[in-house]
mmCIF file of all heavy atoms in Angstrom:
data_model
loop_
_atom_site.group_PDB
_atom_site.id
_atom_site.type_symbol
_atom_site.label_atom_id
_atom_site.label_comp_id
_atom_site.label_asym_id
_atom_site.label_seq_id
_atom_site.Cartn_x
_atom_site.Cartn_y
_atom_site.Cartn_z
ATOM 1 N N ALA A 28 96.151 107.718 120.823
ATOM 2 C CA ALA A 28 96.171 107.814 119.404
ATOM 3 C C ALA A 28 95.041 108.683 118.904
ATOM 4 O O ALA A 28 95.240 109.512 117.932
ATOM 5 C CB ALA A 28 96.039 106.408 118.793
ATOM 6 N N ASP A 29 93.846 108.619 119.488
ATOM 7 C CA ASP A 29 92.775 109.466 119.089
ATOM 8 C C ASP A 29 93.083 110.965 119.276
ATOM 9 O O ASP A 29 92.886 111.775 118.381
ATOM 10 C CB ASP A 29 91.490 109.216 119.928
ATOM 11 C CG ASP A 29 90.866 107.893 119.739
ATOM 12 O OD1 ASP A 29 90.993 107.260 118.617
ATOM 13 O OD2 ASP A 29 90.159 107.380 120.605
ATOM 14 N N LEU A 30 93.663 111.280 120.442
ATOM 15 C CA LEU A 30 93.994 112.700 120.677
ATOM 16 C C LEU A 30 95.135 113.144 119.768
ATOM 17 O O LEU A 30 95.050 114.209 119.165
ATOM 18 C CB LEU A 30 94.465 112.820 122.145
ATOM 19 C CG LEU A 30 94.862 114.217 122.564
ATOM 20 C CD1 LEU A 30 93.743 115.240 122.306
ATOM 21 C CD2 LEU A 30 95.326 114.218 124.022
ATOM 22 N N GLY A 31 96.099 112.301 119.530
ATOM 23 C CA GLY A 31 97.142 112.636 118.570
ATOM 24 C C GLY A 31 96.617 112.940 117.203
ATOM 25 O O GLY A 31 97.056 113.925 116.559
ATOM 26 N N GLU A 32 95.702 112.131 116.744
ATOM 27 C CA GLU A 32 95.101 112.298 115.432
ATOM 28 C C GLU A 32 94.359 113.642 115.329
ATOM 29 O O GLU A 32 94.476 114.377 114.378
ATOM 30 C CB GLU A 32 94.141 111.148 115.113
ATOM 31 C CG GLU A 32 93.610 111.174 113.735
ATOM 32 C CD GLU A 32 92.786 109.905 113.420
ATOM 33 O OE1 GLU A 32 93.253 108.779 113.737
ATOM 34 O OE2 GLU A 32 91.702 110.063 112.877
ATOM 35 N N ARG A 33 93.594 113.958 116.388
ATOM 36 C CA ARG A 33 92.855 115.204 116.413
ATOM 37 C C ARG A 33 93.792 116.453 116.451
ATOM 38 O O ARG A 33 93.427 117.452 115.942
ATOM 39 C CB ARG A 33 91.989 115.273 117.700
ATOM 40 C CG ARG A 33 90.774 114.397 117.575
ATOM 41 C CD ARG A 33 89.930 114.380 118.871
ATOM 42 N NE ARG A 33 88.652 113.743 118.725
ATOM 43 C CZ ARG A 33 88.360 112.504 118.680
ATOM 44 N NH1 ARG A 33 89.377 111.612 118.782
ATOM 45 N NH2 ARG A 33 87.146 112.024 118.572
ATOM 46 N N LEU A 34 94.951 116.282 116.941
ATOM 47 C CA LEU A 34 95.934 117.403 117.096
ATOM 48 C C LEU A 34 96.979 117.361 115.974
ATOM 49 O O LEU A 34 97.746 118.290 115.886
ATOM 50 C CB LEU A 34 96.621 117.331 118.478
ATOM 51 C CG LEU A 34 95.743 117.631 119.654
ATOM 52 C CD1 LEU A 34 96.511 117.321 120.956
ATOM 53 C CD2 LEU A 34 95.243 119.079 119.639
ATOM 54 N N GLY A 35 97.030 116.288 115.214
ATOM 55 C CA GLY A 35 98.024 116.169 114.165
ATOM 56 C C GLY A 35 99.406 115.873 114.649
ATOM 57 O O GLY A 35 100.407 116.285 114.040
ATOM 58 N N VAL A 36 99.503 115.157 115.792
ATOM 59 C CA VAL A 36 100.804 114.724 116.342
ATOM 60 C C VAL A 36 100.722 113.190 116.579
ATOM 61 O O VAL A 36 99.655 112.586 116.526
ATOM 62 C CB VAL A 36 101.168 115.467 117.659
ATOM 63 C CG1 VAL A 36 101.221 116.922 117.403
ATOM 64 C CG2 VAL A 36 100.153 115.166 118.727
ATOM 65 N N SER A 37 101.899 112.606 116.827
ATOM 66 C CA SER A 37 101.852 111.136 117.014
ATOM 67 C C SER A 37 101.404 110.767 118.449
ATOM 68 O O SER A 37 101.361 111.610 119.311
ATOM 69 C CB SER A 37 103.349 110.701 116.869
ATOM 70 O OG SER A 37 104.156 111.135 117.930
ATOM 71 N N ARG A 38 101.090 109.519 118.562
ATOM 72 C CA ARG A 38 100.723 108.959 119.835
ATOM 73 C C ARG A 38 101.911 109.095 120.818
ATOM 74 O O ARG A 38 101.701 109.391 122.023
ATOM 75 C CB ARG A 38 100.306 107.464 119.730
ATOM 76 C CG ARG A 38 99.916 106.795 121.036
ATOM 77 C CD ARG A 38 99.556 105.353 120.838
ATOM 78 N NE ARG A 38 100.670 104.602 120.383
ATOM 79 C CZ ARG A 38 101.595 103.999 121.148
ATOM 80 N NH1 ARG A 38 101.484 104.146 122.412
ATOM 81 N NH2 ARG A 38 102.545 103.319 120.670
ATOM 82 N N GLN A 39 103.059 108.926 120.344
ATOM 83 C CA GLN A 39 104.279 109.073 121.184
ATOM 84 C C GLN A 39 104.432 110.547 121.727
ATOM 85 O O GLN A 39 104.834 110.726 122.846
ATOM 86 C CB GLN A 39 105.553 108.725 120.400
ATOM 87 C CG GLN A 39 105.664 107.231 120.084
ATOM 88 C CD GLN A 39 104.834 106.768 118.918
ATOM 89 O OE1 GLN A 39 104.234 107.559 118.232
ATOM 90 N NE2 GLN A 39 104.736 105.435 118.669
ATOM 91 N N ALA A 40 104.018 111.480 120.938
ATOM 92 C CA ALA A 40 104.052 112.860 121.406
ATOM 93 C C ALA A 40 103.079 113.064 122.562
ATOM 94 O O ALA A 40 103.334 113.777 123.528
ATOM 95 C CB ALA A 40 103.697 113.874 120.261
ATOM 96 N N ILE A 41 101.904 112.453 122.412
ATOM 97 C CA ILE A 41 100.928 112.542 123.490
ATOM 98 C C ILE A 41 101.404 111.902 124.764
ATOM 99 O O ILE A 41 101.246 112.434 125.891
ATOM 100 C CB ILE A 41 99.558 111.915 123.074
ATOM 101 C CG1 ILE A 41 98.983 112.653 121.838
ATOM 102 C CG2 ILE A 41 98.553 111.909 124.217
ATOM 103 C CD1 ILE A 41 98.754 114.145 122.043
ATOM 104 N N ILE A 42 102.073 110.698 124.624
ATOM 105 C CA ILE A 42 102.634 110.035 125.732
ATOM 106 C C ILE A 42 103.657 110.928 126.432
ATOM 107 O O ILE A 42 103.677 111.017 127.709
ATOM 108 C CB ILE A 42 103.266 108.690 125.353
ATOM 109 C CG1 ILE A 42 102.190 107.694 124.925
ATOM 110 C CG2 ILE A 42 104.154 108.112 126.450
ATOM 111 C CD1 ILE A 42 102.741 106.472 124.162
ATOM 112 N N ALA A 43 104.512 111.574 125.679
ATOM 113 C CA ALA A 43 105.534 112.448 126.221
ATOM 114 C C ALA A 43 104.900 113.663 126.977
ATOM 115 O O ALA A 43 105.402 114.067 128.015
ATOM 116 C CB ALA A 43 106.444 112.910 125.092
ATOM 117 N N LEU A 44 103.868 114.175 126.436
ATOM 118 C CA LEU A 44 103.167 115.325 127.043
ATOM 119 C C LEU A 44 102.553 114.918 128.380
ATOM 120 O O LEU A 44 102.667 115.584 129.396
ATOM 121 C CB LEU A 44 102.124 115.950 126.115
ATOM 122 C CG LEU A 44 102.631 116.704 124.946
ATOM 123 C CD1 LEU A 44 101.519 116.975 123.939
ATOM 124 C CD2 LEU A 44 103.301 117.944 125.331
ATOM 125 N N GLU A 45 101.782 113.799 128.310
ATOM 126 C CA GLU A 45 101.089 113.282 129.451
ATOM 127 C C GLU A 45 102.045 112.944 130.648
ATOM 128 O O GLU A 45 101.698 113.009 131.808
ATOM 129 C CB GLU A 45 100.209 112.122 129.174
ATOM 130 C CG GLU A 45 98.960 112.502 128.357
ATOM 131 C CD GLU A 45 98.022 111.380 128.102
ATOM 132 O OE1 GLU A 45 98.319 110.201 128.431
ATOM 133 O OE2 GLU A 45 96.914 111.667 127.613
ATOM 134 N N SER A 46 103.226 112.461 130.317
ATOM 135 C CA SER A 46 104.190 112.030 131.313
ATOM 136 C C SER A 46 105.155 113.162 131.732
ATOM 137 O O SER A 46 106.115 112.893 132.444
ATOM 138 C CB SER A 46 104.957 110.820 130.823
ATOM 139 O OG SER A 46 105.724 111.093 129.702
ATOM 140 N N ASP A 47 104.845 114.363 131.278
ATOM 141 C CA ASP A 47 105.718 115.557 131.579
ATOM 142 C C ASP A 47 107.151 115.404 131.084
ATOM 143 O O ASP A 47 108.039 116.080 131.697
ATOM 144 C CB ASP A 47 105.670 115.836 133.104
ATOM 145 C CG ASP A 47 104.318 116.191 133.601
ATOM 146 O OD1 ASP A 47 103.474 116.775 132.909
ATOM 147 O OD2 ASP A 47 103.997 115.801 134.792
ATOM 148 N N LYS A 48 107.340 114.618 130.073
ATOM 149 C CA LYS A 48 108.678 114.463 129.557
ATOM 150 C C LYS A 48 108.981 115.413 128.398
ATOM 151 O O LYS A 48 110.106 115.579 127.974
ATOM 152 C CB LYS A 48 108.895 113.019 129.021
ATOM 153 C CG LYS A 48 108.940 112.031 130.139
ATOM 154 C CD LYS A 48 109.173 110.655 129.621
ATOM 155 C CE LYS A 48 109.196 109.684 130.818
ATOM 156 N NZ LYS A 48 109.410 108.346 130.384
ATOM 157 N N HIS A 49 107.911 116.111 127.981
ATOM 158 C CA HIS A 49 107.997 117.104 126.884
ATOM 159 C C HIS A 49 107.031 118.195 127.114
ATOM 160 O O HIS A 49 105.891 117.923 127.476
ATOM 161 C CB HIS A 49 107.762 116.367 125.557
ATOM 162 C CG HIS A 49 107.849 117.261 124.352
ATOM 163 N ND1 HIS A 49 109.038 117.739 123.872
ATOM 164 C CD2 HIS A 49 106.870 117.806 123.547
ATOM 165 C CE1 HIS A 49 108.798 118.497 122.797
ATOM 166 N NE2 HIS A 49 107.462 118.508 122.622
ATOM 167 N N ASP A 50 107.433 119.427 126.930
ATOM 168 C CA ASP A 50 106.550 120.590 126.972
ATOM 169 C C ASP A 50 106.055 120.899 125.579
ATOM 170 O O ASP A 50 106.767 120.826 124.629
ATOM 171 C CB ASP A 50 107.257 121.783 127.578
ATOM 172 C CG ASP A 50 107.596 121.642 129.017
ATOM 173 O OD1 ASP A 50 106.971 120.854 129.697
ATOM 174 O OD2 ASP A 50 108.510 122.403 129.463
ATOM 175 N N PRO A 51 104.774 121.232 125.417
ATOM 176 C CA PRO A 51 104.223 121.510 124.134
ATOM 177 C C PRO A 51 104.751 122.838 123.622
ATOM 178 O O PRO A 51 105.067 123.702 124.386
ATOM 179 C CB PRO A 51 102.725 121.572 124.371
ATOM 180 C CG PRO A 51 102.613 122.098 125.742
ATOM 181 C CD PRO A 51 103.746 121.418 126.495
ATOM 182 N N SER A 52 104.827 122.976 122.301
ATOM 183 C CA SER A 52 105.071 124.296 121.709
ATOM 184 C C SER A 52 103.866 125.215 122.065
ATOM 185 O O SER A 52 102.786 124.725 122.400
ATOM 186 C CB SER A 52 105.226 124.143 120.223
ATOM 187 O OG SER A 52 104.004 123.809 119.613
ATOM 188 N N LEU A 53 104.053 126.479 121.942
ATOM 189 C CA LEU A 53 102.970 127.397 122.160
ATOM 190 C C LEU A 53 101.791 127.145 121.236
ATOM 191 O O LEU A 53 100.645 127.108 121.670
ATOM 192 C CB LEU A 53 103.450 128.838 122.016
ATOM 193 C CG LEU A 53 102.493 129.924 122.422
ATOM 194 C CD1 LEU A 53 102.062 129.746 123.868
ATOM 195 C CD2 LEU A 53 103.124 131.254 122.250
ATOM 196 N N ASP A 54 102.138 126.856 119.988
ATOM 197 C CA ASP A 54 101.075 126.508 119.002
ATOM 198 C C ASP A 54 100.305 125.263 119.449
ATOM 199 O O ASP A 54 99.057 125.283 119.453
ATOM 200 C CB ASP A 54 101.699 126.297 117.617
ATOM 201 C CG ASP A 54 100.663 125.855 116.602
ATOM 202 O OD1 ASP A 54 99.708 126.649 116.315
ATOM 203 O OD2 ASP A 54 100.747 124.724 116.126
ATOM 204 N N LEU A 55 100.971 124.195 119.865
ATOM 205 C CA LEU A 55 100.313 122.995 120.270
ATOM 206 C C LEU A 55 99.444 123.235 121.558
ATOM 207 O O LEU A 55 98.377 122.719 121.631
ATOM 208 C CB LEU A 55 101.338 121.855 120.423
ATOM 209 C CG LEU A 55 100.756 120.507 120.790
ATOM 210 C CD1 LEU A 55 99.657 120.065 119.833
ATOM 211 C CD2 LEU A 55 101.826 119.478 120.937
ATOM 212 N N ALA A 56 100.001 123.986 122.497
ATOM 213 C CA ALA A 56 99.344 124.281 123.706
ATOM 214 C C ALA A 56 97.930 124.913 123.398
ATOM 215 O O ALA A 56 96.882 124.602 123.957
ATOM 216 C CB ALA A 56 100.107 125.105 124.657
ATOM 217 N N TYR A 57 98.000 125.891 122.465
ATOM 218 C CA TYR A 57 96.779 126.596 122.060
ATOM 219 C C TYR A 57 95.799 125.685 121.308
ATOM 220 O O TYR A 57 94.579 125.767 121.503
ATOM 221 C CB TYR A 57 97.077 127.852 121.211
ATOM 222 C CG TYR A 57 97.409 128.979 122.121
ATOM 223 C CD1 TYR A 57 98.724 129.523 122.101
ATOM 224 C CD2 TYR A 57 96.443 129.638 122.915
ATOM 225 C CE1 TYR A 57 99.020 130.589 122.971
ATOM 226 C CE2 TYR A 57 96.800 130.718 123.691
ATOM 227 C CZ TYR A 57 98.084 131.251 123.710
ATOM 228 O OH TYR A 57 98.383 132.283 124.527
ATOM 229 N N ARG A 58 96.339 124.762 120.480
ATOM 230 C CA ARG A 58 95.422 123.783 119.801
ATOM 231 C C ARG A 58 94.782 122.883 120.769
ATOM 232 O O ARG A 58 93.606 122.542 120.628
ATOM 233 C CB ARG A 58 96.223 123.063 118.722
ATOM 234 C CG ARG A 58 96.535 123.938 117.513
ATOM 235 C CD ARG A 58 97.122 123.133 116.358
ATOM 236 N NE ARG A 58 98.523 122.756 116.652
ATOM 237 C CZ ARG A 58 99.009 121.580 116.368
ATOM 238 N NH1 ARG A 58 98.323 120.654 115.744
ATOM 239 N NH2 ARG A 58 100.303 121.388 116.634
ATOM 240 N N ILE A 59 95.534 122.415 121.816
ATOM 241 C CA ILE A 59 94.996 121.526 122.817
ATOM 242 C C ILE A 59 93.898 122.281 123.590
ATOM 243 O O ILE A 59 92.794 121.769 123.794
ATOM 244 C CB ILE A 59 96.103 121.110 123.808
ATOM 245 C CG1 ILE A 59 97.015 120.123 123.083
ATOM 246 C CG2 ILE A 59 95.525 120.463 125.070
ATOM 247 C CD1 ILE A 59 98.335 119.821 123.818
ATOM 248 N N ALA A 60 94.152 123.541 123.968
ATOM 249 C CA ALA A 60 93.164 124.325 124.696
ATOM 250 C C ALA A 60 91.926 124.478 123.866
ATOM 251 O O ALA A 60 90.779 124.325 124.345
ATOM 252 C CB ALA A 60 93.744 125.706 125.071
ATOM 253 N N ALA A 61 92.090 124.767 122.592
ATOM 254 C CA ALA A 61 90.870 124.995 121.712
ATOM 255 C C ALA A 61 90.107 123.684 121.574
ATOM 256 O O ALA A 61 88.866 123.659 121.617
ATOM 257 C CB ALA A 61 91.317 125.467 120.370
ATOM 258 N N LEU A 62 90.797 122.539 121.414
ATOM 259 C CA LEU A 62 90.172 121.274 121.261
ATOM 260 C C LEU A 62 89.286 120.903 122.510
ATOM 261 O O LEU A 62 88.149 120.423 122.382
ATOM 262 C CB LEU A 62 91.183 120.174 121.077
ATOM 263 C CG LEU A 62 90.656 118.726 120.878
ATOM 264 C CD1 LEU A 62 89.808 118.621 119.658
ATOM 265 C CD2 LEU A 62 91.844 117.747 120.872
ATOM 266 N N PHE A 63 89.813 121.228 123.660
ATOM 267 C CA PHE A 63 89.085 120.932 124.927
ATOM 268 C C PHE A 63 88.173 122.063 125.330
ATOM 269 O O PHE A 63 87.427 121.924 126.350
ATOM 270 C CB PHE A 63 90.063 120.557 126.036
ATOM 271 C CG PHE A 63 90.625 119.215 125.826
ATOM 272 C CD1 PHE A 63 92.031 119.061 125.523
ATOM 273 C CD2 PHE A 63 89.898 118.008 125.927
ATOM 274 C CE1 PHE A 63 92.637 117.820 125.321
ATOM 275 C CE2 PHE A 63 90.431 116.797 125.731
ATOM 276 C CZ PHE A 63 91.822 116.689 125.403
ATOM 277 N N GLY A 64 88.227 123.200 124.662
ATOM 278 C CA GLY A 64 87.378 124.333 125.036
ATOM 279 C C GLY A 64 87.659 124.927 126.354
ATOM 280 O O GLY A 64 86.753 125.395 127.054
ATOM 281 N N GLU A 65 88.970 124.937 126.718
ATOM 282 C CA GLU A 65 89.380 125.489 127.988
ATOM 283 C C GLU A 65 90.597 126.406 127.752
ATOM 284 O O GLU A 65 91.293 126.232 126.794
ATOM 285 C CB GLU A 65 89.789 124.390 128.981
ATOM 286 C CG GLU A 65 88.703 123.472 129.369
ATOM 287 C CD GLU A 65 88.946 122.715 130.607
ATOM 288 O OE1 GLU A 65 89.808 123.138 131.413
ATOM 289 O OE2 GLU A 65 88.351 121.639 130.793
ATOM 290 N N PRO A 66 90.767 127.398 128.656
ATOM 291 C CA PRO A 66 91.984 128.233 128.515
ATOM 292 C C PRO A 66 93.258 127.439 128.702
ATOM 293 O O PRO A 66 93.229 126.509 129.476
ATOM 294 C CB PRO A 66 91.772 129.329 129.513
ATOM 295 C CG PRO A 66 90.630 128.968 130.403
ATOM 296 C CD PRO A 66 89.953 127.779 129.749
ATOM 297 N N VAL A 67 94.339 127.842 128.103
ATOM 298 C CA VAL A 67 95.651 127.190 128.255
ATOM 299 C C VAL A 67 95.956 127.068 129.754
ATOM 300 O O VAL A 67 96.415 126.006 130.185
ATOM 301 C CB VAL A 67 96.719 127.973 127.515
ATOM 302 C CG1 VAL A 67 98.084 127.405 127.866
ATOM 303 C CG2 VAL A 67 96.495 127.920 126.038
ATOM 304 N N GLU A 68 95.649 128.076 130.506
ATOM 305 C CA GLU A 68 96.020 128.091 131.914
ATOM 306 C C GLU A 68 95.243 127.046 132.792
ATOM 307 O O GLU A 68 95.670 126.619 133.806
ATOM 308 C CB GLU A 68 95.769 129.471 132.585
ATOM 309 C CG GLU A 68 96.608 130.551 131.988
ATOM 310 C CD GLU A 68 95.979 131.184 130.693
ATOM 311 O OE1 GLU A 68 94.861 130.786 130.320
ATOM 312 O OE2 GLU A 68 96.647 131.985 130.082
ATOM 313 N N ALA A 69 94.105 126.612 132.251
ATOM 314 C CA ALA A 69 93.304 125.575 132.923
ATOM 315 C C ALA A 69 93.832 124.169 132.665
ATOM 316 O O ALA A 69 93.492 123.226 133.349
ATOM 317 C CB ALA A 69 91.837 125.675 132.469
ATOM 318 N N ILE A 70 94.664 124.058 131.607
ATOM 319 C CA ILE A 70 95.176 122.693 131.227
ATOM 320 C C ILE A 70 96.672 122.566 131.654
ATOM 321 O O ILE A 70 97.033 121.519 132.170
ATOM 322 C CB ILE A 70 95.085 122.576 129.716
ATOM 323 C CG1 ILE A 70 93.613 122.574 129.349
ATOM 324 C CG2 ILE A 70 95.657 121.195 129.329
ATOM 325 C CD1 ILE A 70 93.326 122.581 127.809
#
Side-chain angles (χ1 to χ4, degrees):
D29 292 335
L30 180 56
E32 187 173 312
R33 284 173 167 83
L34 293 170
V36 300
S37 68
R38 180 181 64 86
Q39 290 80 6
I41 300 301
I42 292 168
L44 289 169
E45 288 186 351
S46 63
D47 299 327
K48 292 182 179 178
H49 179 74
D50 291 338
S52 66
L53 188 56
D54 176 67
L55 181 56
Y57 277 110
R58 287 190 286 139
I59 291 168
L62 179 65
F63 289 111
E65 296 198 24
V67 172
E68 298 84 5
I70 299 173

